[in-house]
Amino acid sequence: MQTAIDTPVTLTAGAVAELRKLINDPGFDNSQYLRVGVKGGGCSGMTYVLGFDQKQDNDDEFEIEGIRCVMSRSHEIYLQGMEVDFQGGLNSRGFTFSNPNASKTCGCGTSFAV
């Protein structure tokens, strides 16, 4: 059974552009989805997960600008309303997360607490 949900997170134009570059790579496995999630760890208690993966039974599926995404149902409480951006500058390069649910974040921006 496929469960479609409203988009719990947003991607900026920069994030969409970078993800499309990755998806359009000739070696990309088109059966994969963009997984947005969390896992325990990091200096603040939880770490963001962003990568390509297969859909699991406990995942909800959603789409942002044609990018197929999945998120474990249990992660939505931590990530609802989060914005994912991509910074391409010389001093700061990579995906960044702006999470309104985070009560504190670490200096590197990839770890948070609720």
Side-chain angles (χ1 to χ4, degrees), residues 55-112:
K55 186 173 187 266
Q56 304 297 317
D57 290 338
N58 64 337
D59 287 338
D60 283 331
E61 181 180 336
F62 55 99
E63 190 172 298
I64 302 173
E65 304 254 352
I67 298 171
R68 299 180 320 151
C69 305
V70 291
M71 177 187 294
S72 173
R73 289 181 189 108
S74 62
H75 294 185
E76 187 173 350
I77 191 170
Y78 303 111
L79 301 178
Q80 182 69 39
M82 181 178 74
E83 179 183 80
V84 180
D85 190 16
F86 182 80
Q87 300 292 318
L90 293 175
N91 294 330
S92 175
R93 182 168 180 82
F95 289 97
T96 61
F97 307 91
S98 178
N99 187 347
N101 305 300
S103 62
K104 77 175 189 178
T105 60
C106 68
C108 68
T110 61
S111 178
F112 71 102

Side-chain angles (χ1 to χ4, degrees), residues 1-85:
M1 180 173 131
Q2 180 176 345
T3 304
I5 59 173
D6 290 331
T7 305
V9 299
T10 58
L11 301 174
T12 65
V16 168
E18 185 64 22
L19 290 165
R20 284 193 176 139
K21 283 183 198 174
L22 297 170
I23 291 169
N24 290 327
D25 184 86
F28 182 76
D29 178 357
N30 287 316
S31 70
Q32 294 188 333
Y33 295 75
L34 177 66
R35 177 168 299 282
V36 183
V38 297
K39 66 179 181 178
C43 50
S44 292
M46 300 182 98
T47 303
Y48 296 108
V49 172
L50 185 70
F52 292 100
D53 195 8
Q54 298 297 323
K55 186 173 187 266
Q56 304 297 317
D57 290 338
N58 64 337
D59 287 338
D60 283 331
E61 181 180 336
F62 55 99
E63 190 172 298
I64 302 173
E65 304 254 352
I67 298 171
R68 299 180 320 151
C69 305
V70 291
M71 177 187 294
S72 173
R73 289 181 189 108
S74 62
H75 294 185
E76 187 173 350
I77 191 170
Y78 303 111
L79 301 178
Q80 182 69 39
M82 181 178 74
E83 179 183 80
V84 180
D85 190 16

